[in-house]
Amino acid sequence: MTARQRVVIIGGGFAGLRAARGLRRAPADVVLVDRANHHLFRPLLYQVATGLLPAGDIAPPLRRILAEQRNTRVLLGEATAVNPHAQTVTVTAADGTAQRLGYDHLVLAAGATDNYFGHDQWAAVAAGMKTLRQAVELRDRLLHAFETAAASRDEQARRRWLTFAIVGGGPTGVELAGQLAALARRTLRGQFHDLDPAHLRIVLTEHGDAVLAPFPDPLRRHAHRRLRDLGVDVRLGYSAADIDEHGITLQSAHGGDPQRLATPTVIWAAGVTPVPLTAQLAEDAGASRDHKGRIKVRPDCTVPGHPEIFAIGDLANVHDLPGIAEPALQQGRYVAKVISHRLGRGPHPGLFRYLDLGTMATISPFDAVADVRGLHLHGPLGKAAWAGVHLAFLTGWPNRLGVLANWAWTLGSGRRQQQLILDTRTVRPAAARPA
Ligand SMILES: Cc1cc2nc3c(=O)[nH]c(=O)nc-3n(C[C@H](O)[C@H](O)[C@H](O)COP(=O)(O)OP(=O)(O)OC[C@H]3O[C@@H](n4cnc5c(N)ncnc54)[C@H](O)[C@@H]3O)c2cc1C
């Protein structure tokens, strides 16, 4: 009797979780490795960071999702190395113990992390928003900035604490800017009577010449106008030249003197790069990477020369698709079909083909832009489409209902439930000093 095949999946995000679920009936032993114990719905992270949603609403535990799947084991730990020749993955647990897992099929779906474009030191002062912890820390920092401004008797200091700089005008930066404006103007105005709303300043910088670059021009212009209406200061053609705990220096693409913005709160939403494991695997497997650091895979999502290794989602380049959720989901589903076919279950799905279902970004509580296969929506209609799609893609009914209830409450009452500062250590006292 031949032994059951072993499938190891690294990463329980959009791509990896979808692959694992697609293998639920496969005659194989599946191990899903993730360094977090939850599946994170990243598109709603900014709503956690701005106090609209509790963390648990967008992060169901992987074990709960896969509890009924008898052929699948969830392993909490960091995949620290892949040996493509010995066909093993080294997984290191939080207590430092390491174990080696052998595989017959490997799915690398570990996603991406922040890209500071050679300025990694900025990570300490301009945190990104990729993980649940980062989102909760950002919430602490935002709420703490309001508290510190309210407590201060020095008008210059107040102005600095009420200045927020967001670097990157893609969907993450736009959504965060819009939501922060709503948090500040709608929710906090009624609670911080000694703060002057005129002192609030949200600056969104984008090095390109438009926000929401991947969207069609009319939707980009709509988003820009709406952000301006919300009071967001949108600076196009500006890049970060320097960031420290006192503020950010901006350089215009059109030349001129650098501009300094004094603020303790700089948020990085400017780009992503594949997790480090990607480079290690590519090098050891003899695969090449594109200019974004993604592994160039074959049209069936396998690493060239290694039909047993699949790379999918944000860390892989197949047809140069954008790093968004839908390609990751479709690749996960596809890879599960290929592996199932190899195990004697189901037909071969052919080469991977992407079905573009559209892109969306929200701007304010009643406005979002959506490009659905050439149909351009914005305003409340765009928002309804955005809300429907996000609810549909959330994992599990408890999370869908939780998110829906929180949205309804916030829209109806204008209040946010998650106005807690959990840890004041994340706010650097030195940032309160004059710039
Ligand atoms: C703030 C933000 C907002 C976004 N908004 C949108 C949006 O509105 N619409 C949209 O379509 N896309 C959006 N995206 C992009 C989308 O989230 C990604 O394209 C998608 O998550 C990619 O899926 P993935 O499976 O490749 O990676 P991920 O979903 O990131 O999953 C990777 C998983 O791998 C795990 N992992 C990483 N390294 C290791 C390791 N060494 N060992 C073990 N586990 C590891 C991580 O914990 C994670 O669970 C957004 C992304 C961010 C950060």
Side-chain angles (χ1 to χ4, degrees):
M1 203 175 94
T2 50
R4 271 164 75 90
Q5 297 260 297
R6 297 156 305 169
V7 182
V8 173
I9 301 172
I10 304 176
F14 284 104
L17 180 60
R18 189 53 68 99
R21 294 173 87 175
L23 288 167
R24 61 192 175 281
R25 290 195 196 90
D29 294 322
V30 180
V31 181
L32 176 68
V33 181
D34 203 300
R35 60 186 173 195
N37 79 334
H38 49 265
H39 165 73
L40 182 56
F41 191 82
R42 287 192 163 72
L44 290 179
L45 263 179
Y46 75 97
Q47 297 202 354
V48 172
T50 49
L52 209 159
L53 293 177
D57 271 6
I58 65 163
L62 285 165
R63 281 189 189 280
R64 193 180 78 199
I65 301 169
L66 295 167
E68 307 296 317
Q69 204 165 306
R70 296 285 167 203
N71 67 346
T72 303
R73 186 160 72 94
V74 175
L75 184 60
L76 180 67
E78 172 126 13
T80 42
V82 175
N83 184 332
H85 310 293
Q87 298 194 191
T88 58
V89 176
T90 305
V91 179
T92 307
D95 67 358
T97 52
Q99 61 174 296
R100 250 186 226 129
L101 303 176
Y103 64 82
D104 299 296
H105 310 269
L106 173 68
V107 181
L108 182 65
T113 181
D114 284 310
N115 186 358
Y116 287 88
F117 304 104
H119 299 278
D120 288 352
Q121 72 280 10
W122 292 349
V125 281
M129 199 183 47
K130 294 280 170 297
T131 64
L132 210 47
R133 175 176 289 278
Q134 282 179 318
V136 172
E137 282 181 5
L138 182 54
R139 187 184 71 198
D140 284 357
R141 286 182 64 195
L142 296 175
L143 294 172
H144 198 269
F146 287 106
E147 294 290 352
T148 314
S152 174
R153 299 290 124 219
D154 171 357
E155 192 184 313
Q156 289 306 316
R158 279 181 168 220
R159 284 179 186 270
R160 276 198 306 280
W161 281 105
L162 289 180
T163 299
F164 302 90
I166 301 170
V167 185
T172 301
V174 166
E175 291 184 330
L176 192 57
Q179 201 52 238
L180 183 53
L183 166 76
R185 292 186 202 288
R186 196 160 170 221
T187 310
L188 296 181
R189 194 167 41 191
Q191 300 174 22
F192 286 79
H193 304 294
D194 39 4
L195 287 183
D196 181 352
H199 290 173
L200 179 74
R201 205 167 163 210
I202 300 168
V203 182
L204 177 67
T205 66
E206 162 59 40
H207 82 282
D209 56 8
V211 293
L212 295 181
F215 286 73
D217 196 42
L219 296 182
R220 291 195 296 217
R221 278 189 275 118
H222 174 83
H224 192 150
R225 269 196 312 273
R226 286 295 296 131
L227 285 170
R228 263 201 334 244
D229 295 346
L230 289 167
V232 177
D233 176 359
V234 182
R235 306 268 186 99
L236 299 178
Y238 280 92
S239 305
D242 191 27
I243 308 175
D244 57 40
E245 60 191 16
H246 304 297
I248 177 168
T249 305
L250 298 171
Q251 180 67 59
S252 166
H254 307 294
D257 288 338
Q259 294 180 14
R260 181 74 180 167
L261 201 64
T263 168
T265 318
V266 181
I267 304 157
W268 190 258
V272 295
T273 188
V275 294
L277 194 61
T278 316
Q280 183 261 302
L281 173 65
E283 188 164 325
D284 289 353
S288 48
R289 293 185 296 141
D290 68 7
H291 67 285
K292 294 179 182 164
R294 300 179 297 180
I295 296 187
K296 289 188 191 169
V297 291
R298 291 166 45 84
D300 63 353
C301 297
T302 58
V303 172
H306 289 273
E308 74 286 2
I309 304 179
F310 298 84
I312 53 176
D314 277 1
L315 55 70
N317 176 345
V318 54
H319 309 319
D320 202 16
L321 293 169
I324 53 175
E326 192 53 43
L329 286 166
Q330 291 185 25
Q331 286 161 21
R333 195 180 308 130
Y334 168 83
V335 159
K337 284 185 183 161
V338 175
I339 296 175
S340 297
H341 170 75
R342 288 182 186 174
L343 298 172
R345 291 281 163 106
H348 194 285
L351 298 179
F352 175 71
R353 286 229 305 268
Y354 178 56
L355 179 64
D356 185 357
L357 297 176
T359 37
M360 303 177 174
T362 189
I363 310 163
S364 71
F366 296 101
D367 200 347
V369 289
D371 173 17
V372 186
R373 300 173 76 83
L375 179 67
H376 298 170
L377 304 174
H378 58 73
L381 210 55
K383 187 73 187 205
W386 175 92
V389 166
H390 280 69
L391 284 175
F393 279 100
L394 266 168
T395 302
W397 280 104
N399 290 78
R400 285 189 194 114
L401 293 176
V403 167
L404 195 59
N406 275 296
W407 284 351
W409 164 261
T410 303
L411 277 181
S413 68
R415 299 200 193 110
R416 286 163 200 247
Q417 291 281 63
Q418 307 301 316
Q419 215 178 305
L420 303 175
I421 298 174
L422 295 179
D423 188 353
T424 47
R425 283 172 305 173
T426 52
V427 182
R428 300 167 311 280
R433 293 197 295 263

